[in-house]
Amino acid sequence: MKNILSVSAASLIFLRQTACFQTTRQRQSALHSTAVRSNERMDSLFGPRLDDGEDVVLFSDDVDDTSDNNWGAPPSKSSAAAPAKKKMNRWANLNPSIKARIVKEAQERAIRNKKRREPAAAKKRRLHSQYKEMESQSKREKYVRRDLPVNSKKRTLLKDIEPGTSLSGKVISLTKFGAYIDVGTEADGLLHVSQISRDEFVEHPRNYLAPGDEAEVRVVRVDPTQKKLQLTMLPEEVLDEENVMK
């Protein structure tokens, strides 16, 4: 009885394997017939293939210098120079005023970017240099241009000047004790702060005078040997009252 059951089981397994094999063969034949029909349909639409069924590579990463149509190859010098030449032609055709404005804006932008990237030490040196230049410019602006050079032979000698002579001059510089005035003599005259006004206390000459101002003065004392000339702006009545001229 056991032998009969084992034979029956083996028969069933064999029949099952045979059925699976036949099913697989049927599926393969069906797929093959479908592929054939698809090829026939493609031939009917586009015509027969001319490459004998071989695959054609449309794009490759391999560089081929012998082919100009290879997409993977780097551009040649002539093809790379063409856009640059086109850009240069556009620049050459621009209006000169527009080109000048573009160049100026580019330079200003480059200067701004350079200042942003400027180190702290370099920025400190640059600002210090600008400060010194502004300071020297301020000093130059304070200088007063004289009507006659200092060493001019046209200047009057001090020995020819008498006390009490009225002169017209130009304020050259100011100090806390007075003002130096060029009256056309070989040496500038000193107008002491006490000889400016009697109406009120004069703390500093800059309250009444400034470099470059024209001033009417009178000679008080003169010393040709020491090249000194003392001036005053006080009225004659005050000078007589205070005996300043004596």
Side-chain angles (χ1 to χ4, degrees):
M1 186 68 180
K2 291 180 180 179
N3 294 335
I4 294 173
L5 290 174
S6 60
V7 171
S8 300
S11 301
L12 289 174
I13 292 171
F14 176 75
L15 291 174
R16 187 175 181 180
Q17 291 179 350
T18 304
C20 291
F21 178 76
Q22 291 178 354
T23 303
T24 302
R25 294 282 296 182
Q26 291 176 359
R27 289 179 179 177
Q28 290 178 353
S29 61
L31 291 173
H32 179 70
S33 61
T34 302
V36 170
R37 287 196 298 272
S38 176
N39 291 335
E40 291 177 354
R41 187 177 303 168
M42 293 293 290
D43 293 342
S44 63
L45 291 175
F46 302 103
R49 295 182 63 170
L50 302 178
D51 53 1
D52 296 333
E54 297 180 357
D55 294 333
V56 178
V57 179
L58 297 179
F59 177 78
S60 175
D61 292 334
D62 298 333
V63 179
D64 185 9
D65 295 336
T66 59
S67 176
D68 293 338
N69 297 325
N70 190 356
W71 292 356
S76 61
K77 293 183 179 180
S78 59
S79 60
K85 186 176 181 181
K86 185 176 181 181
K87 292 180 180 179
M88 292 300 295
N89 290 336
R90 292 180 61 186
W91 175 258
N93 293 332
L94 282 176
N95 192 324
S97 60
I98 297 177
K99 288 197 290 187
R101 187 181 65 185
I102 293 174
V103 172
K104 182 178 179 181
E105 292 177 354
Q107 291 175 348
E108 293 176 352
R109 185 166 56 252
I111 292 173
R112 289 196 301 269
N113 295 335
K114 183 178 179 181
K115 289 182 178 179
R116 292 194 192 102
R117 299 189 300 267
E118 189 177 17
K123 185 177 181 180
K124 185 177 180 180
R125 288 194 300 269
R126 180 174 58 82
L127 293 177
H128 183 69
S129 176
Q130 291 181 358
Y131 171 75
K132 298 296 287 184
E133 179 63 25
M134 292 172 62
E135 189 178 25
S136 60
Q137 179 67 23
S138 178
K139 289 182 179 179
R140 287 194 296 268
E141 291 177 354
K142 290 181 181 178
Y143 293 155
V144 178
R145 180 180 292 276
R146 298 173 183 267
D147 297 333
L148 292 174
V150 177
N151 299 324
S152 176
K153 295 181 179 180
K154 296 182 180 180
R155 288 186 171 273
T156 306
L157 299 177
L158 292 180
K159 65 181 181 179
D160 298 333
I161 301 295
E162 296 292 335
T165 305
S166 297
L167 299 172
S168 176
K170 180 182 292 185
V171 179
I172 300 299
S173 61
L174 300 176
T175 63
K176 63 181 180 180
F177 55 83
Y180 285 97
I181 300 178
D182 182 7
V183 291
T185 56
E186 57 181 337
D188 293 339
L190 173 62
L191 176 65
H192 196 265
V193 67
S194 62
Q195 300 297 316
I196 295 178
S197 176
R198 287 289 186 269
D199 296 335
E200 58 181 346
F201 176 73
V202 180
E203 184 178 0
H204 197 281
R206 63 170 171 265
N207 298 332
Y208 288 85
L209 300 171
D213 289 350
E214 297 290 338
E216 295 293 333
V217 294
R218 189 188 300 267
V219 178
V220 177
R221 294 181 182 89
V222 58
D223 189 353
T225 57
Q226 295 185 2
K227 304 293 184 181
K228 290 183 178 180
L229 180 65
Q230 185 177 350
L231 306 174
T232 183
M233 293 180 64
L234 298 177
E236 187 174 359
E237 297 82 8
V238 177
L239 295 176
D240 295 339
E241 182 180 351
E242 296 181 359
N243 297 324
V244 176
M245 305 297 296
K246 296 180 181 180

